Structure formats: C-alpha cells, structure tokens
Amino acid sequence: MDLNIKTNEKNHLEIGGVDAVEIAKEFGTPTYVIDEDRIRDNYKRFYSAFSKYYPDFKVFYACKANTNIAVLKILEEEGSCIDAVSPGEVYISKKLGFTGNRILFTGNNIKDSELKEVSDAGVILNIDSVSALKRLAKLINPENVKISFRVNPMVGAGHHDHCITGGVMSKFGIMDSEAVEVYKLAKELGFNPVGMHSHIGSGILDPEPFKLAIESTMDIAGKVHKEAGIEFEFLDFGGGIGIPYTPDEKLLDLDKFAEENMKLFKAKLKEYDMAEPTLYLEPGRYLVGDAAVLLTEVNSIKQSYRKFIGIDAGFNTLLRPAMYDSYHHMVIANKMDEEDVEEVDVAGNVCESGDLFARDRPLPKVEEGDILAILNAGAYSFTMASNYNTRPLPKEVLISNKKAIVVRKEQSYDDIFQKQTMPEHLK
Ligand SMILES: *Cc1c(COP(=O)(O)O)cnc(C)c1O
C-alpha cells in the first residue's frame, strides 16, 4: 500500500512522529493536522526529479490546494514559487515574502478591478482570454508587465469531470487555433508575451495524459514561436500530478515521469528550433495532499437500515467526498493493529443526506469515542471548508520537529457572524 500511514508502538496512528490520539486529546476534534517534514520531503522529491533532467526548472505551488500561512511559508523557505488563481492568493503570497517574479497569476473570468490589482502587485500574468488581454491593455502600461497565455491543449485528464480543464468542454484557456493571432495581438497592443501555459486537470497518476498535453502545448508553442516570432522565457505545463487515495492506487514513479516528459519536452524544443526556456510546473495536491490528516471523533453509532458511524465533521469540514465522490482512506487512530471486521457507512454531522464520507467502508470494530482519521486531507480540504450549518471552521495544527503547534484557532460563533450588520429598523 502506497498511502502515507505510520503507526507507533502503542498501535496508534502517528503524524510527523507524534501520536494522533494524543493530538486529538490535547486539541479536540475536528482538527486538521499538517506534517511539516512531509511537505518539505514532497517538495524536494518533486524539485529534484525534474531538475535532474532539466535544470532550468521552477516549481510554482498551486496554492489553492492549501493556503495555511505556515504551509505557504514552509514552501517559500524551500524555494518554491506560487501559482495564484485569485487576487487574495496574490495578496497573501506577497505578504509572506514571495516577490512578484515568484508569483504567476492564473485567473479566469477576471474583472477589470482584479486585473488592475494583480498587475499593480508586479506578478506574472497568465492570461486566459482575448477579452482579458484587451481590457488589460486599457488598464495598465503594457510594458510594465510580464504576460503569458493559457492555452487549451485539447487534452483533458483528471479524477472527476469537474477536474478536467482541457478539451472542447473546458472553460479554460484560449483555443489552439487562435494562439498565433492572440500572441500577435498582444505584441500589437505593446505587451511582451514571454510564456505559454497549459493545465489539463487534476489527480493524474499516469504519465500518458501529461505527455499528450506537453506534446500538444509544444506544438502550439512551436507554431507561435515561428509565426508570431515569440522567444519564450518560460513554458508551463501546469500541475495535476496525483497521489494515491485508495489502498490499491500506486505512487507515481516520479523519476520515470520526469524522465519521459523531459525527453519529450527537449525533443519538441529541438523540433521547433527553440532556445531552452525555463520550465515551470504547478503541483498543488502532490506537495501537500498527503501531508495532512483530519482527526475526528466517532460520537454516535446508529444501527438503522444500514450501520452509520457518525463523526464530528461534515462536508462543511471536508467537501471532497460530497462534491467529487472522492475516496478518502480512513483509519481508527487508536486501533491501528485491528483488522477490518465490518462494512459501515461513515456519516458527517451536517443536515443533508449527501453528507457522507463513505459507504460500505471496511473498518475495525468501531466504538463511540474512537478517533477516526481521514487521510490525504492536505489538499482541497481546509480550503474548501465552509460555515454551512453554522459550524465554525476547525483548528489546524502543524507538526514540526515532533511538536504540535496550533497554526489556526477554531472559529468562534461570533467569528462566523462578525461581518453581518443588523439594519436600523430591526434593532
Ligand atoms: C488547481 C491548479 C493547479 C494544481 O492542480 P493539482 O492537481 O493540485 O496539482 C495547477 N495549475 C492551475 C492553473 C490550477 O488551477
């Protein structure tokens, strides 16, 4: 099994060398627990895999996966850059020390005020439509920004339809057939377009779709180089590199993945007679996905028409199972040595039938008071949490050097309501 699970001598789940049951006791539940070392290891493994075959390489962490400021700072220290998809992500990255040239803004359906805000922040702008290009030209001095275009490589891949971001049904990017014209238009408008970007989807565990995307993006880039006279400073093939979520999924062989993809990339540069640009990749999930666990407590067990294990978290805490039908592996943190003996449904505490974490999940004998740990909760987990049902956003704890440090306090009820105002006539 390739899942990131460690057990200590008490047969408890261990996170970053700390007993998960002790963490639950000390901090309560639900709590997201983040392992600093795992993030650093993931970054180093990713960076060295690609830089080995193509040294002029930069990692742009797709921070929508996890924007806890400690996580961002850890990756800043490792040397990562940031892929930001909103002005808010640009704001927090700059505040934490990422300089403008280490931030790529990849927005879609961006309004003028936001375009202005992010270009004033001095970041690299990755433009998603002709509309945005034309509006940007009116808002700022085109000489003052570095731009690239997101193209649709007509290849899509991902763990769920919602996560496929290339192909004819996708809202992202400019069409391959219009790319040359768009780069020419950018030059006419006074811009200096220096990059090209594609991102085909999320949760890819197989080198093939990524190779197709590189191939097709490079064909577009080659044409733009020849016909629009663009010398690329960087080419960016996005993120989407997956991690195993189920016990039978295998870790991607990253070295092989990098070797095959870089071989293709270099061959394509030669084919189109292009100088070697900087390579950008934008992993999100790969860097942080397996670096956090959501600790919950089993608070009620109900034998109805089915057996329901009720926990103190819901889709307000972790949305992926309800939104994408995602599988998250679960373990009973205080019973790591026990065999699975029954198949149960694991249900959250939100008033919605869809609030289920699993159906027919094999688990050991579960009792009220057990600590149920939901694994792989580092990416698209806290960042998608909400206050639905007037539940406070949970705590986040960072494990660093075998110490547990609170990096986000649980919200209070007043925090939830603080931005609301009562109209005079109802006071
Ligand atoms: C979400 C996103 C990513 C990261 O995707 P992962 O599957 O987490 O690696 C990269 N680039 C862009 C533009 C994105 O929107």
Side-chain angles (χ1 to χ4, degrees), residues 62 64 83 85 106 150 197 199 201-203 239-241 282-285 380:
K64 71 178 188 291
D83 177 61
V85 294
T106 304
R150 177 173 189 163
H197 168 274
H199 170 68
S202 197
I241 299 93
E282 304 169 344
R285 187 187 316 274
Y380 309 106

